[in-house]
Amino acid sequence: MTSTATTDTPVKLTKKDFDAGIDVRWCPGCGDFAILAAVQRTLPELPYKKEDYVFVSGIGCSSRFPYYMATYGFHTIHGRAPAIAMGVKATRPELSVWVATGDGDALSIGGNHFIHTLRRNPDINILLFNNRIYGLTKGQYSPTSETGKKTKSSPLGSIDHPFNPVSVALGAEGTFIARVVDRDAKHVSEILKAAALHKGTSFMEIYQNCLIFNDGAYNHMTERSVKAENVLYLEEGKPLLFGEKNEKGIVLDELGQPKAVRVEDVGIDAILKHDPKSPDPSYAFMLSRMGLDGVLPTPVGIFRAVERPTYEDMLHKQIADAKPDGKKADLHDLLTSGSSWTIS
Ligand SMILES: Cc1ncc(C[n+]2csc(CCOP(=O)(O)OP(=O)(O)O)c2C)c(N)n1
Ligand code: SF4
C-alpha cells in the first residue's frame, strides 16, 4: 500500500524548485550536501505538490536541513523533531512530513522520542544522518561512535558500547527500515522514493561523512578499491551477493548465522534471498548485525518493509467513532458528565 497524495501535481517540479537559494552553512565537502542534493532531486518525482512538503529538524549540523529546502519546515528542539512531525501529520494527514536528524540528536537526547515514534507508526519519514560524531558541538563522541574512539570528550577512548541505528529501529518494530551511504547518489534517491511511498514511519539511516571531526568513517564502503568487498546491496527477491563480480554470497550456517561463501562452491540456489516483507523481524535483525565484525559486508538498502495501521489513521477513526451521531457536542454536558462531583 502506498501513501495517498492530496492532489495531482499540476506543474512539473524540478530540483531547483526545492532549493531555498540561501547560503549553505556546512563545511565544504560535508556529506550533508550530497544528501540535500539527493532529496531535492527526488521530491519532484513524488506525487505531492510543493506546498505539501514539511521538513522538521532538531539540533545539529544535519538539523539545518529545513533552511535549505524551499518547503515548509521547522527547526525545533534537540531530539524532539519526531514528536513535532507526528503532531503535524496527525493534524494535516495529507502532507508529506520529513524529519532530518543526526546520530546525537536522534539517539542521545532524542532516543526516547525516536523509539516511540517507530512504535506508533505515524506516516512520516525520518532521515538519520549518521556521521558517528557530534558535528555542531565540535567533535564529541556520539551514541554511534565506536568503542575506543578518541574525541574531545573521550580523550582516552570511548568506553561506551555503540548503538546500531538499524538494530534499534528494528527493536522498536519500525515498519520501514533502510540504510544508504551519502555518496551513493542513485541508491539514496531510489530508497528515498520507496521511503516516501511507504505508508507508516519510514526510517533511513544515511552514513554521512563529517570531514572535519570524523573524516573517512565510511571509506571502506566508498573507496572504489574496497567497496565491492564491503558493501552488500539488499534487493527484494534477489540473492544476497557481493564482491567485484558478485562472486560471493551469504548462506546460513548450522546455527542460523550468516556466513560468506563463494557462489561457485555452493550454487546460486543455496544463497539466501532477500525478503524485506518477512513477518519475522529476526531476519532483518540478523542482517543489521552484518558488517560489525569487519568480516561480513555491510548491507545497504531496505531491511524491512511491512504494513501496520498508522497512528493518525487510528486517531482519526477513534475520534470519528467517539462522536455522537448527528449531535453537536456540548462542552458543558461533557464537563458535568461522568466522574464529576458537586461540593457543597
Ligand atoms: C538541550 C541541549 N543539549 C545539548 C545541546 C548541545 N548539542 C547541540 S547539537 C548536539 C549534537 C549534534 O550531533 P548530531 O546529532 O550527531 O548532529 P551533527 O551536528 O553531527 O549533524 C549537541 C549535544 C543543545 N543544543 N541542547
Ligand atoms: S562539522 Fe562535520 S557534520 Fe558539521 S558541517 Fe562540518 S563536516 Fe558537516
Side-chain angles (χ1 to χ4, degrees):
M1 202 202 283
T2 57
S3 295
T4 359
T6 42
T7 47
D8 296 329
T9 309
V11 182
K12 178 82 188 110
L13 298 168
T14 66
K15 176 174 184 272
K16 220 163 169 280
D17 288 307
F18 290 99
D19 183 347
I22 60 166
D23 195 16
V24 178
R25 299 283 179 87
W26 286 319
C27 309
C30 173
D32 290 355
F33 283 98
I35 303 169
L36 178 65
V39 171
Q40 288 171 336
R41 214 177 26 246
T42 308
L43 295 197
E45 295 179 38
L46 297 174
Y48 289 94
K49 290 194 293 179
K50 182 171 150 145
E51 57 268 34
D52 288 339
Y53 288 107
V54 183
F55 280 79
V56 186
S57 68
I59 299 294
C61 295
S62 38
S63 287
R64 297 187 60 77
F65 205 85
Y67 294 117
Y68 308 136
M69 294 296 299
T71 63
Y72 288 105
F74 299 82
H75 187 189
T76 73
I77 37 181
H78 206 2
R80 275 64 178 162
I84 290 158
M86 194 158 84
V88 173
K89 188 72 187 178
T91 47
R92 293 287 307 274
E94 74 279 14
L95 300 179
S96 177
V97 182
W98 297 73
V99 168
T101 182
D103 43 300
D105 189 58
L107 299 171
S108 188
I109 194 165
N112 197 24
H113 290 265
F114 177 70
I115 56 172
H116 290 287
T117 301
L118 289 165
R119 170 173 81 79
R120 289 177 172 146
N121 200 36
D123 186 13
I124 64 170
N125 311 291
I126 302 177
L127 308 178
L128 190 153
F129 300 24
N130 184 3
N131 52 22
R132 295 188 177 153
I133 205 82
Y134 288 177
L136 188 76
T137 47
K138 298 189 165 46
Q140 300 86 357
Y141 77 106
S142 90
T144 57
S145 299
E146 60 276 22
T147 307
K149 179 95 182 160
K150 288 194 176 162
T151 70
K152 288 174 186 161
S153 58
S154 56
L156 301 181
S158 160
I159 52 172
D160 285 3
H161 184 74
F163 265 151
N164 172 332
V166 169
S167 299
V168 174
L170 284 162
E173 296 191 45
T175 54
F176 180 104
I177 294 162
R179 178 191 288 143
V180 292
V181 182
D182 58 2
R183 282 174 58 176
D184 213 337
K186 215 166 135 262
H187 190 239
V188 175
S189 197
E190 180 194 319
I191 305 300
L192 274 171
K193 260 184 257 169
L197 296 175
H198 173 73
K199 177 118 168 117
T201 306
S202 74
F203 168 68
M204 266 174 82
E205 176 187 24
I206 308 175
Y207 282 170
Q208 173 247 330
N209 195 43
C210 169
L211 82 166
I212 302 297
F213 298 112
N214 202 18
D215 194 22
Y218 303 112
N219 273 358
H220 64 296
M221 295 177 72
T222 53
E223 293 305 304
R224 194 177 279 274
S225 57
V226 287
K227 182 179 167 186
E229 289 302 309
N230 294 327
V231 181
L232 189 153
Y233 285 89
L234 300 171
E235 290 177 86
E236 185 170 357
K238 302 241 177 90
L240 303 182
L241 297 175
F242 68 104
E244 204 62 58
K245 297 195 171 104
N246 272 345
E247 72 282 9
K248 297 180 203 167
I250 301 295
V251 295
L252 295 181
D253 69 13
E254 52 289 352
L255 294 174
Q257 294 302 307
K259 186 172 96 171
V261 291
R262 299 194 70 79
V263 178
E264 66 178 16
D265 293 341
V266 297
I268 189 76
D269 291 340
I271 307 294
L272 204 56
K273 281 200 184 61
H274 184 47
D275 180 12
K277 299 201 175 92
S278 171
D280 177 5
S282 53
Y283 162 72
F285 191 80
M286 173 200 80
L287 294 178
S288 77
R289 310 310 293 166
M290 282 173 54
L292 299 178
D293 57 3
V295 176
L296 295 175
T298 302
V300 295
I302 301 168
F303 286 72
R304 186 158 207 247
V306 295
E307 286 186 25
R308 201 168 71 229
T310 66
Y311 184 81
E312 62 278 2
D313 280 356
M314 289 188 289
L315 178 71
H316 290 291
K317 182 176 182 314
Q318 195 173 58
I319 293 170
D321 290 350
K323 278 190 180 154
D325 286 342
K327 265 207 288 169
K328 225 175 162 199
D330 185 299
L331 188 60
H332 181 264
D333 287 352
L334 193 66
L335 291 175
T336 53
S337 67
S339 305
S340 64
W341 294 263
T342 304
I343 300 172
S344 53

